[in-house]
Amino acid sequence: MGYEKTLKLEHRGMRAMLPEVKRNAGADLDVRDFFPSGNDVLDRWRLRRFREYQSYGFPVWRRVGLTSFEPPRVEGYRGLENIDEEGLALLEELDFEGSDRKFVLMADVFSMAGEYVVVSSPQEKVVVEVDQDVANSLLDLRGGDLTLVRIVRRERFVGNLRVKVREKARFKLVNLHLVGKGGTSIDNVFLDVETGASVEVYDFYSGGRVNVGFLAVRFSGEDATAKVRPYYAVSSGSATDVLYQMRFYGRRNEGTVDSKGVVTGESKVVFRGVLDILPGAKDTVAHQRNHTFLISGSAKAEAIPSLFVGENDVVASHAHSSSPLDETAVFYLMTRGCSETEARELLIKGTFEDLREELRNFELEAVLDHALEGLV
Amino acid sequence: MLLRVENLRASLVGSEKLILKGVNLEMGFGEVHVLMGPNGSGKSTLANVIVGNPKFKVVSGDILFEGESILNAKPHERVAKGIFMTFQSPVEVDGVRLKQLLLTSYRKIHGDDSSFYQLEREMKRLAEELGLRPEFFDRFVNVGFSGGEKKKSEILQASFLKPKLLILDEIDSGLDVDALKLVLKMVNALREQGTSLLIITHYTRILEHLDVNKVHVYLDGKIVASGDKWLAYEVEKSGYALVGER
């Protein structure tokens, strides 16, 4: 079974050739790092993926300055050890390429944290702090309403999260990446959304030297909605490269990506948005929007939007922009008694106000405030 | 004397062209002054220079507030001294809630003596007077506000913060008759509490609701005539140019 490609450049039997990713043949995990899970069915699946894993080197990502990757130290297996045949079939169904296949496979084979969970309770809220460098989770949401707050507070991180949101289920994900200074984080999230389901995502990136994020929504059914709100606070010379993909298979689905963030100092953000409306996905509504506030003259923002439309009756748009803080707003706040520094701080923090409001439900605003310290 | 503007000349930063060309103005405590002039004459620039907008530079002259020059004071320091301005077109401030801004501003100007509940009660009272719902304070400042709501928000902020000098830059534009009455009721209340008012306007209708000490006609960057409220009606009848020629 093939996996969901990040870019599927095919049209009426024609296929675009993509340039090959440059790869690095440095130190890598090997068979000595393969620890049995205690679940033979799972381990056979892991071994197959391990063989594929070995066939790739680590990608060289020049845009974020990642030319080599030091693999994490693996000390055992934890993650999907309780999975059954049904769960494995779902794993296959939710197989994907992510930001790079190598890292998706790494988390599949060598995870040290994660779980396989089937959820069908009417309403549940869960806060999970990922406590290992490599994590792999699979959620099968069979109904009801689940809110998952996932906190990644690591020096180094490679992770997968796959979620099947079945018919009419509701799923909210609050995904917080708080990477330690100098660290590298690579997170791949794949959501499959069935008929009538709804998804809401708050995805926050801060810290680290290199932060790479991938989040895909696959609309496999009809009449579903997904609202994705990415946020990023990039400082201290770090680079963040995020890709948000929505692929529409069925009819009358509605997906929006509405992103904003702040970049300071010598830092950089690369924002990629892919909206892919396949033939047959009639009456799709798909929008992506991104705005970056550049707080210093040397801060950089690069936007790479892609809109693939293979169906006539759709509404689709993308808009990307960057600007310094609005000096008129700074002055306005100063005429209300704020010093210039306070005014800028209010505006920068204001960029994340909707996220803070969401975190207030879990008394986690301090986590965000801490991450934003020193941005001004 | 509360405010004394002495032969003030100012231009945009980076430009040699003067916008204020020698403005002289004196306002006593508790006084109400009206500044009238045609579009583009520099009325709003004068207001912006008084509150310290960094877009403008003072070339010569001085601004004294309660006897002290404020030319070197930053905008927030001028607010702390008691100068407040309502804007003609207030900017949208995304991500900053009105309540948050009001509480921050109040404490900066008046200190921490009042409790959160006292301040919140006062906010609600003011909102009620202006016909605004309490949820108004939870909205981001001016984001998605109608023109009337923006003006109400501005006067609400002024009423809450109780400045010594309130500069109203075209507070009456874009307001319907009922909304204007509500806004001017609050302006009058501020006046009764001792706030001095400098009102920039194009219309005489504001004079029907306010007792005014002086009306100034402002042409091409300076005040060319001053008088009582009848000067405003003369302007309305004869036009700015004729009044300026007297």
PDB file of all heavy atoms in Angstrom, chain A residues 5-7 98-100 187-189 203 205 211-217 228 230 240-246 257 270-275 288 304 306:
ATOM      1  N   LYS A   5       1.526  11.015  -0.205  1.00  0.00           N
ATOM      2  CA  LYS A   5       2.661  11.891  -0.543  1.00  0.00           C
ATOM      3  C   LYS A   5       2.343  13.326  -0.110  1.00  0.00           C
ATOM      4  O   LYS A   5       1.179  13.755  -0.156  1.00  0.00           O
ATOM      5  CB  LYS A   5       2.886  11.885  -2.055  1.00  0.00           C
ATOM      6  CG  LYS A   5       3.343  10.544  -2.602  1.00  0.00           C
ATOM      7  CD  LYS A   5       4.832  10.455  -2.588  1.00  0.00           C
ATOM      8  CE  LYS A   5       5.270   9.225  -3.372  1.00  0.00           C
ATOM      9  NZ  LYS A   5       6.701   8.993  -3.241  1.00  0.00           N
ATOM     10  N   THR A   6       3.366  14.053   0.235  1.00  0.00           N
ATOM     11  CA  THR A   6       3.153  15.454   0.602  1.00  0.00           C
ATOM     12  C   THR A   6       2.779  16.270  -0.630  1.00  0.00           C
ATOM     13  O   THR A   6       1.832  17.056  -0.602  1.00  0.00           O
ATOM     14  CB  THR A   6       4.422  16.019   1.269  1.00  0.00           C
ATOM     15  OG1 THR A   6       4.663  15.234   2.436  1.00  0.00           O
ATOM     16  CG2 THR A   6       4.255  17.477   1.657  1.00  0.00           C
ATOM     17  N   LEU A   7       3.495  16.085  -1.709  1.00  0.00           N
ATOM     18  CA  LEU A   7       3.115  16.720  -2.969  1.00  0.00           C
ATOM     19  C   LEU A   7       2.737  15.622  -3.950  1.00  0.00           C
ATOM     20  O   LEU A   7       3.499  14.692  -4.174  1.00  0.00           O
ATOM     21  CB  LEU A   7       4.283  17.540  -3.543  1.00  0.00           C
ATOM     22  CG  LEU A   7       4.610  18.839  -2.822  1.00  0.00           C
ATOM     23  CD1 LEU A   7       5.853  19.488  -3.432  1.00  0.00           C
ATOM     24  CD2 LEU A   7       3.445  19.810  -2.860  1.00  0.00           C
ATOM     25  N   GLY A  98       5.086  13.057   5.228  1.00  0.00           N
ATOM     26  CA  GLY A  98       5.475  14.072   6.208  1.00  0.00           C
ATOM     27  C   GLY A  98       6.478  15.064   5.648  1.00  0.00           C
ATOM     28  O   GLY A  98       6.598  15.237   4.431  1.00  0.00           O
ATOM     29  N   SER A  99       7.197  15.709   6.557  1.00  0.00           N
ATOM     30  CA  SER A  99       8.217  16.670   6.118  1.00  0.00           C
ATOM     31  C   SER A  99       9.336  15.943   5.396  1.00  0.00           C
ATOM     32  O   SER A  99       9.940  16.475   4.465  1.00  0.00           O
ATOM     33  CB  SER A  99       8.768  17.439   7.316  1.00  0.00           C
ATOM     34  OG  SER A  99       9.225  16.526   8.290  1.00  0.00           O
ATOM     35  N   ASP A 100       9.604  14.725   5.832  1.00  0.00           N
ATOM     36  CA  ASP A 100      10.513  13.831   5.109  1.00  0.00           C
ATOM     37  C   ASP A 100      10.241  12.417   5.616  1.00  0.00           C
ATOM     38  O   ASP A 100      10.099  12.189   6.813  1.00  0.00           O
ATOM     39  CB  ASP A 100      11.979  14.201   5.361  1.00  0.00           C
ATOM     40  CG  ASP A 100      12.907  13.413   4.455  1.00  0.00           C
ATOM     41  OD1 ASP A 100      13.289  12.272   4.817  1.00  0.00           O
ATOM     42  OD2 ASP A 100      13.216  13.911   3.355  1.00  0.00           O
ATOM     43  N   ASP A 187       8.393  17.359  13.799  1.00  0.00           N
ATOM     44  CA  ASP A 187       7.114  16.770  14.193  1.00  0.00           C
ATOM     45  C   ASP A 187       6.241  16.577  12.961  1.00  0.00           C
ATOM     46  O   ASP A 187       6.110  17.483  12.133  1.00  0.00           O
ATOM     47  CB  ASP A 187       6.410  17.694  15.194  1.00  0.00           C
ATOM     48  CG  ASP A 187       5.261  16.996  15.913  1.00  0.00           C
ATOM     49  OD1 ASP A 187       5.227  15.743  15.910  1.00  0.00           O
ATOM     50  OD2 ASP A 187       4.407  17.689  16.476  1.00  0.00           O
ATOM     51  N   ASN A 188       5.662  15.393  12.847  1.00  0.00           N
ATOM     52  CA  ASN A 188       4.794  15.086  11.707  1.00  0.00           C
ATOM     53  C   ASN A 188       3.425  14.648  12.221  1.00  0.00           C
ATOM     54  O   ASN A 188       3.323  13.668  12.962  1.00  0.00           O
ATOM     55  CB  ASN A 188       5.414  13.967  10.869  1.00  0.00           C
ATOM     56  CG  ASN A 188       6.635  14.458  10.107  1.00  0.00           C
ATOM     57  OD1 ASN A 188       6.531  15.299   9.220  1.00  0.00           O
ATOM     58  ND2 ASN A 188       7.812  13.945  10.467  1.00  0.00           N
ATOM     59  N   VAL A 189       2.396  15.382  11.807  1.00  0.00           N
ATOM     60  CA  VAL A 189       1.033  15.088  12.274  1.00  0.00           C
ATOM     61  C   VAL A 189       0.147  14.845  11.055  1.00  0.00           C
ATOM     62  O   VAL A 189       0.179  15.619  10.089  1.00  0.00           O
ATOM     63  CB  VAL A 189       0.470  16.280  13.093  1.00  0.00           C
ATOM     64  CG1 VAL A 189      -0.957  16.000  13.534  1.00  0.00           C
ATOM     65  CG2 VAL A 189       1.359  16.564  14.290  1.00  0.00           C
ATOM     66  N   ASP A 203      -1.534  25.079  16.641  1.00  0.00           N
ATOM     67  CA  ASP A 203      -0.207  24.481  16.508  1.00  0.00           C
ATOM     68  C   ASP A 203       0.840  25.561  16.773  1.00  0.00           C
ATOM     69  O   ASP A 203       0.950  26.513  15.999  1.00  0.00           O
ATOM     70  CB  ASP A 203      -0.071  23.954  15.064  1.00  0.00           C
ATOM     71  CG  ASP A 203       0.948  22.838  14.956  1.00  0.00           C
ATOM     72  OD1 ASP A 203       1.276  22.225  15.987  1.00  0.00           O
ATOM     73  OD2 ASP A 203       1.405  22.557  13.832  1.00  0.00           O
ATOM     74  N   TYR A 205       4.816  26.834  17.654  1.00  0.00           N
ATOM     75  CA  TYR A 205       6.240  26.518  17.594  1.00  0.00           C
ATOM     76  C   TYR A 205       7.054  27.624  18.244  1.00  0.00           C
ATOM     77  O   TYR A 205       6.883  28.797  17.909  1.00  0.00           O
ATOM     78  CB  TYR A 205       6.694  26.367  16.136  1.00  0.00           C
ATOM     79  CG  TYR A 205       6.263  25.048  15.533  1.00  0.00           C
ATOM     80  CD1 TYR A 205       5.028  24.918  14.927  1.00  0.00           C
ATOM     81  CD2 TYR A 205       7.090  23.935  15.600  1.00  0.00           C
ATOM     82  CE1 TYR A 205       4.612  23.712  14.400  1.00  0.00           C
ATOM     83  CE2 TYR A 205       6.683  22.719  15.077  1.00  0.00           C
ATOM     84  CZ  TYR A 205       5.451  22.614  14.474  1.00  0.00           C
ATOM     85  OH  TYR A 205       5.053  21.408  13.968  1.00  0.00           O
ATOM     86  N   ASN A 211      13.318  24.067  13.963  1.00  0.00           N
ATOM     87  CA  ASN A 211      11.995  23.534  14.237  1.00  0.00           C
ATOM     88  C   ASN A 211      11.353  23.202  12.899  1.00  0.00           C
ATOM     89  O   ASN A 211      11.156  24.092  12.072  1.00  0.00           O
ATOM     90  CB  ASN A 211      11.144  24.637  14.887  1.00  0.00           C
ATOM     91  CG  ASN A 211      10.818  24.331  16.314  1.00  0.00           C
ATOM     92  OD1 ASN A 211      10.507  23.184  16.639  1.00  0.00           O
ATOM     93  ND2 ASN A 211      10.861  25.342  17.159  1.00  0.00           N
ATOM     94  N   VAL A 212      11.030  21.952  12.694  1.00  0.00           N
ATOM     95  CA  VAL A 212      10.378  21.580  11.435  1.00  0.00           C
ATOM     96  C   VAL A 212       9.034  20.950  11.776  1.00  0.00           C
ATOM     97  O   VAL A 212       8.954  20.015  12.571  1.00  0.00           O
ATOM     98  CB  VAL A 212      11.248  20.594  10.620  1.00  0.00           C
ATOM     99  CG1 VAL A 212      10.504  20.143   9.366  1.00  0.00           C
ATOM    100  CG2 VAL A 212      12.563  21.253  10.234  1.00  0.00           C
ATOM    101  N   GLY A 213       7.987  21.488  11.186  1.00  0.00           N
ATOM    102  CA  GLY A 213       6.657  20.958  11.477  1.00  0.00           C
ATOM    103  C   GLY A 213       5.911  20.608  10.213  1.00  0.00           C
ATOM    104  O   GLY A 213       6.016  21.294   9.194  1.00  0.00           O
ATOM    105  N   PHE A 214       5.167  19.516  10.309  1.00  0.00           N
ATOM    106  CA  PHE A 214       4.318  19.108   9.193  1.00  0.00           C
ATOM    107  C   PHE A 214       2.972  18.725   9.776  1.00  0.00           C
ATOM    108  O   PHE A 214       2.903  17.954  10.739  1.00  0.00           O
ATOM    109  CB  PHE A 214       4.944  17.902   8.476  1.00  0.00           C
ATOM    110  CG  PHE A 214       4.050  17.295   7.421  1.00  0.00           C
ATOM    111  CD1 PHE A 214       4.103  17.729   6.108  1.00  0.00           C
ATOM    112  CD2 PHE A 214       3.147  16.295   7.755  1.00  0.00           C
ATOM    113  CE1 PHE A 214       3.269  17.180   5.145  1.00  0.00           C
ATOM    114  CE2 PHE A 214       2.308  15.739   6.798  1.00  0.00           C
ATOM    115  CZ  PHE A 214       2.368  16.179   5.490  1.00  0.00           C
ATOM    116  N   LEU A 215       1.915  19.293   9.213  1.00  0.00           N
ATOM    117  CA  LEU A 215       0.582  18.891   9.660  1.00  0.00           C
ATOM    118  C   LEU A 215      -0.326  18.794   8.436  1.00  0.00           C
ATOM    119  O   LEU A 215      -0.447  19.751   7.667  1.00  0.00           O
ATOM    120  CB  LEU A 215       0.008  19.895  10.651  1.00  0.00           C
ATOM    121  CG  LEU A 215      -1.302  19.441  11.316  1.00  0.00           C
ATOM    122  CD1 LEU A 215      -1.331  19.829  12.790  1.00  0.00           C
ATOM    123  CD2 LEU A 215      -2.538  19.979  10.627  1.00  0.00           C
ATOM    124  N   ALA A 216      -0.877  17.604   8.251  1.00  0.00           N
ATOM    125  CA  ALA A 216      -1.730  17.379   7.081  1.00  0.00           C
ATOM    126  C   ALA A 216      -3.127  16.986   7.517  1.00  0.00           C
ATOM    127  O   ALA A 216      -3.312  16.266   8.503  1.00  0.00           O
ATOM    128  CB  ALA A 216      -1.134  16.273   6.220  1.00  0.00           C
ATOM    129  N   VAL A 217      -4.100  17.496   6.774  1.00  0.00           N
ATOM    130  CA  VAL A 217      -5.490  17.076   6.977  1.00  0.00           C
ATOM    131  C   VAL A 217      -5.957  16.443   5.672  1.00  0.00           C
ATOM    132  O   VAL A 217      -5.886  17.066   4.613  1.00  0.00           O
ATOM    133  CB  VAL A 217      -6.394  18.277   7.323  1.00  0.00           C
ATOM    134  CG1 VAL A 217      -7.848  17.816   7.482  1.00  0.00           C
ATOM    135  CG2 VAL A 217      -5.916  18.973   8.592  1.00  0.00           C
ATOM    136  N   VAL A 228      -7.335  25.114  11.034  1.00  0.00           N
ATOM    137  CA  VAL A 228      -5.980  24.955  11.561  1.00  0.00           C
ATOM    138  C   VAL A 228      -5.392  26.338  11.801  1.00  0.00           C
ATOM    139  O   VAL A 228      -5.397  27.189  10.909  1.00  0.00           O
ATOM    140  CB  VAL A 228      -5.107  24.154  10.574  1.00  0.00           C
ATOM    141  CG1 VAL A 228      -3.678  24.060  11.093  1.00  0.00           C
ATOM    142  CG2 VAL A 228      -5.691  22.763  10.370  1.00  0.00           C
ATOM    143  N   PRO A 230      -1.985  27.846  12.922  1.00  0.00           N
ATOM    144  CA  PRO A 230      -0.568  27.759  13.315  1.00  0.00           C
ATOM    145  C   PRO A 230      -0.068  29.088  13.894  1.00  0.00           C
ATOM    146  O   PRO A 230      -0.477  30.163  13.446  1.00  0.00           O
ATOM    147  CB  PRO A 230       0.143  27.476  11.980  1.00  0.00           C
ATOM    148  CG  PRO A 230      -0.930  27.118  11.003  1.00  0.00           C
ATOM    149  CD  PRO A 230      -2.146  27.843  11.470  1.00  0.00           C
ATOM    150  N   THR A 240      12.533  28.139  11.699  1.00  0.00           N
ATOM    151  CA  THR A 240      11.334  27.300  11.778  1.00  0.00           C
ATOM    152  C   THR A 240      10.782  27.120  10.376  1.00  0.00           C
ATOM    153  O   THR A 240      10.617  28.089   9.636  1.00  0.00           O
ATOM    154  CB  THR A 240      10.284  27.970  12.694  1.00  0.00           C
ATOM    155  OG1 THR A 240      10.791  27.987  14.024  1.00  0.00           O
ATOM    156  CG2 THR A 240       8.967  27.210  12.687  1.00  0.00           C
ATOM    157  N   ASP A 241      10.550  25.862  10.033  1.00  0.00           N
ATOM    158  CA  ASP A 241      10.045  25.543   8.689  1.00  0.00           C
ATOM    159  C   ASP A 241       8.799  24.680   8.880  1.00  0.00           C
ATOM    160  O   ASP A 241       8.875  23.548   9.357  1.00  0.00           O
ATOM    161  CB  ASP A 241      11.132  24.778   7.926  1.00  0.00           C
ATOM    162  CG  ASP A 241      10.757  24.565   6.458  1.00  0.00           C
ATOM    163  OD1 ASP A 241       9.557  24.567   6.132  1.00  0.00           O
ATOM    164  OD2 ASP A 241      11.673  24.379   5.640  1.00  0.00           O
ATOM    165  N   VAL A 242       7.651  25.249   8.548  1.00  0.00           N
ATOM    166  CA  VAL A 242       6.400  24.523   8.786  1.00  0.00           C
ATOM    167  C   VAL A 242       5.629  24.334   7.481  1.00  0.00           C
ATOM    168  O   VAL A 242       5.639  25.198   6.614  1.00  0.00           O
ATOM    169  CB  VAL A 242       5.505  25.250   9.818  1.00  0.00           C
ATOM    170  CG1 VAL A 242       6.056  25.087  11.218  1.00  0.00           C
ATOM    171  CG2 VAL A 242       5.349  26.721   9.480  1.00  0.00           C
ATOM    172  N   LEU A 243       5.007  23.186   7.396  1.00  0.00           N
ATOM    173  CA  LEU A 243       4.208  22.900   6.200  1.00  0.00           C
ATOM    174  C   LEU A 243       2.820  22.441   6.629  1.00  0.00           C
ATOM    175  O   LEU A 243       2.684  21.492   7.419  1.00  0.00           O
ATOM    176  CB  LEU A 243       4.882  21.804   5.363  1.00  0.00           C
ATOM    177  CG  LEU A 243       4.366  21.595   3.930  1.00  0.00           C
ATOM    178  CD1 LEU A 243       5.406  20.864   3.087  1.00  0.00           C
ATOM    179  CD2 LEU A 243       3.046  20.864   3.844  1.00  0.00           C
ATOM    180  N   TYR A 244       1.802  23.137   6.137  1.00  0.00           N
ATOM    181  CA  TYR A 244       0.419  22.759   6.427  1.00  0.00           C
ATOM    182  C   TYR A 244      -0.240  22.338   5.122  1.00  0.00           C
ATOM    183  O   TYR A 244      -0.259  23.101   4.154  1.00  0.00           O
ATOM    184  CB  TYR A 244      -0.335  23.935   7.081  1.00  0.00           C
ATOM    185  CG  TYR A 244       0.224  24.182   8.450  1.00  0.00           C
ATOM    186  CD1 TYR A 244       1.300  25.039   8.627  1.00  0.00           C
ATOM    187  CD2 TYR A 244      -0.255  23.489   9.548  1.00  0.00           C
ATOM    188  CE1 TYR A 244       1.875  25.219   9.876  1.00  0.00           C
ATOM    189  CE2 TYR A 244       0.303  23.656  10.802  1.00  0.00           C
ATOM    190  CZ  TYR A 244       1.372  24.520  10.957  1.00  0.00           C
ATOM    191  OH  TYR A 244       1.941  24.672  12.203  1.00  0.00           O
ATOM    192  N   GLN A 245      -0.708  21.120   5.140  1.00  0.00           N
ATOM    193  CA  GLN A 245      -1.275  20.569   3.911  1.00  0.00           C
ATOM    194  C   GLN A 245      -2.719  20.144   4.147  1.00  0.00           C
ATOM    195  O   GLN A 245      -3.040  19.561   5.188  1.00  0.00           O
ATOM    196  CB  GLN A 245      -0.437  19.347   3.494  1.00  0.00           C
ATOM    197  CG  GLN A 245      -0.885  18.689   2.211  1.00  0.00           C
ATOM    198  CD  GLN A 245      -0.752  17.173   2.294  1.00  0.00           C
ATOM    199  OE1 GLN A 245      -1.320  16.532   3.165  1.00  0.00           O
ATOM    200  NE2 GLN A 245       0.028  16.612   1.403  1.00  0.00           N
ATOM    201  N   MET A 246      -3.579  20.468   3.190  1.00  0.00           N
ATOM    202  CA  MET A 246      -4.950  19.956   3.230  1.00  0.00           C
ATOM    203  C   MET A 246      -5.227  19.323   1.887  1.00  0.00           C
ATOM    204  O   MET A 246      -5.023  19.969   0.848  1.00  0.00           O
ATOM    205  CB  MET A 246      -5.945  21.080   3.500  1.00  0.00           C
ATOM    206  CG  MET A 246      -5.914  21.561   4.918  1.00  0.00           C
ATOM    207  SD  MET A 246      -7.252  22.715   5.270  1.00  0.00           S
ATOM    208  CE  MET A 246      -7.110  22.810   7.051  1.00  0.00           C
ATOM    209  N   VAL A 257      -6.574  27.333   6.871  1.00  0.00           N
ATOM    210  CA  VAL A 257      -5.321  27.452   7.624  1.00  0.00           C
ATOM    211  C   VAL A 257      -5.113  28.948   7.837  1.00  0.00           C
ATOM    212  O   VAL A 257      -4.980  29.701   6.871  1.00  0.00           O
ATOM    213  CB  VAL A 257      -4.128  26.869   6.839  1.00  0.00           C
ATOM    214  CG1 VAL A 257      -2.829  27.074   7.626  1.00  0.00           C
ATOM    215  CG2 VAL A 257      -4.342  25.398   6.529  1.00  0.00           C
ATOM    216  N   VAL A 270      10.020  29.713   7.564  1.00  0.00           N
ATOM    217  CA  VAL A 270       9.583  29.308   6.221  1.00  0.00           C
ATOM    218  C   VAL A 270       8.180  28.731   6.404  1.00  0.00           C
ATOM    219  O   VAL A 270       7.997  27.766   7.153  1.00  0.00           O
ATOM    220  CB  VAL A 270      10.505  28.242   5.599  1.00  0.00           C
ATOM    221  CG1 VAL A 270      10.032  27.888   4.192  1.00  0.00           C
ATOM    222  CG2 VAL A 270      11.944  28.723   5.576  1.00  0.00           C
ATOM    223  N   PHE A 271       7.214  29.355   5.766  1.00  0.00           N
ATOM    224  CA  PHE A 271       5.828  28.890   5.901  1.00  0.00           C
ATOM    225  C   PHE A 271       5.376  28.305   4.569  1.00  0.00           C
ATOM    226  O   PHE A 271       5.367  28.973   3.551  1.00  0.00           O
ATOM    227  CB  PHE A 271       4.900  30.042   6.295  1.00  0.00           C
ATOM    228  CG  PHE A 271       3.490  29.589   6.531  1.00  0.00           C
ATOM    229  CD1 PHE A 271       3.087  29.185   7.796  1.00  0.00           C
ATOM    230  CD2 PHE A 271       2.580  29.504   5.492  1.00  0.00           C
ATOM    231  CE1 PHE A 271       1.796  28.726   8.014  1.00  0.00           C
ATOM    232  CE2 PHE A 271       1.290  29.051   5.695  1.00  0.00           C
ATOM    233  CZ  PHE A 271       0.899  28.658   6.968  1.00  0.00           C
ATOM    234  N   ARG A 272       5.023  27.034   4.604  1.00  0.00           N
ATOM    235  CA  ARG A 272       4.551  26.374   3.381  1.00  0.00           C
ATOM    236  C   ARG A 272       3.097  25.981   3.583  1.00  0.00           C
ATOM    237  O   ARG A 272       2.733  25.425   4.614  1.00  0.00           O
ATOM    238  CB  ARG A 272       5.360  25.104   3.112  1.00  0.00           C
ATOM    239  CG  ARG A 272       6.858  25.337   3.000  1.00  0.00           C
ATOM    240  CD  ARG A 272       7.593  24.007   3.146  1.00  0.00           C
ATOM    241  NE  ARG A 272       9.001  24.211   3.446  1.00  0.00           N
ATOM    242  CZ  ARG A 272       9.962  24.138   2.551  1.00  0.00           C
ATOM    243  NH1 ARG A 272       9.690  23.840   1.310  1.00  0.00           N
ATOM    244  NH2 ARG A 272      11.223  24.335   2.896  1.00  0.00           N
ATOM    245  N   GLY A 273       2.312  26.274   2.593  1.00  0.00           N
ATOM    246  CA  GLY A 273       0.913  25.879   2.667  1.00  0.00           C
ATOM    247  C   GLY A 273       0.541  25.163   1.381  1.00  0.00           C
ATOM    248  O   GLY A 273       0.823  25.650   0.286  1.00  0.00           O
ATOM    249  N   VAL A 274      -0.045  23.997   1.520  1.00  0.00           N
ATOM    250  CA  VAL A 274      -0.442  23.232   0.337  1.00  0.00           C
ATOM    251  C   VAL A 274      -1.934  22.925   0.437  1.00  0.00           C
ATOM    252  O   VAL A 274      -2.374  22.248   1.362  1.00  0.00           O
ATOM    253  CB  VAL A 274       0.341  21.902   0.231  1.00  0.00           C
ATOM    254  CG1 VAL A 274      -0.114  21.113  -0.996  1.00  0.00           C
ATOM    255  CG2 VAL A 274       1.841  22.150   0.177  1.00  0.00           C
ATOM    256  N   LEU A 275      -2.694  23.456  -0.503  1.00  0.00           N
ATOM    257  CA  LEU A 275      -4.105  23.093  -0.611  1.00  0.00           C
ATOM    258  C   LEU A 275      -4.247  22.289  -1.889  1.00  0.00           C
ATOM    259  O   LEU A 275      -3.910  22.768  -2.972  1.00  0.00           O
ATOM    260  CB  LEU A 275      -4.994  24.334  -0.682  1.00  0.00           C
ATOM    261  CG  LEU A 275      -5.009  25.239   0.559  1.00  0.00           C
ATOM    262  CD1 LEU A 275      -5.885  26.468   0.303  1.00  0.00           C
ATOM    263  CD2 LEU A 275      -5.516  24.488   1.783  1.00  0.00           C
ATOM    264  N   GLN A 288      -6.119  29.509   2.827  1.00  0.00           N
ATOM    265  CA  GLN A 288      -4.949  29.581   3.700  1.00  0.00           C
ATOM    266  C   GLN A 288      -4.458  31.015   3.751  1.00  0.00           C
ATOM    267  O   GLN A 288      -4.494  31.744   2.765  1.00  0.00           O
ATOM    268  CB  GLN A 288      -3.834  28.645   3.247  1.00  0.00           C
ATOM    269  CG  GLN A 288      -3.374  28.833   1.826  1.00  0.00           C
ATOM    270  CD  GLN A 288      -2.115  28.035   1.551  1.00  0.00           C
ATOM    271  OE1 GLN A 288      -1.117  28.211   2.221  1.00  0.00           O
ATOM    272  NE2 GLN A 288      -2.174  27.145   0.567  1.00  0.00           N
ATOM    273  N   ILE A 304       5.803  29.901   1.001  1.00  0.00           N
ATOM    274  CA  ILE A 304       5.739  29.072  -0.208  1.00  0.00           C
ATOM    275  C   ILE A 304       4.330  28.472  -0.276  1.00  0.00           C
ATOM    276  O   ILE A 304       4.100  27.352   0.189  1.00  0.00           O
ATOM    277  CB  ILE A 304       6.820  27.967  -0.177  1.00  0.00           C
ATOM    278  CG1 ILE A 304       8.190  28.586   0.121  1.00  0.00           C
ATOM    279  CG2 ILE A 304       6.854  27.208  -1.506  1.00  0.00           C
ATOM    280  CD1 ILE A 304       9.308  27.591   0.306  1.00  0.00           C
ATOM    281  N   SER A 306       1.055  26.838  -2.095  1.00  0.00           N
ATOM    282  CA  SER A 306       0.751  26.033  -3.283  1.00  0.00           C
ATOM    283  C   SER A 306      -0.736  25.713  -3.273  1.00  0.00           C
ATOM    284  O   SER A 306      -1.285  25.288  -2.258  1.00  0.00           O
ATOM    285  CB  SER A 306       1.528  24.721  -3.260  1.00  0.00           C
ATOM    286  OG  SER A 306       2.894  24.970  -3.100  1.00  0.00           O
TER     287      SER A 306
END
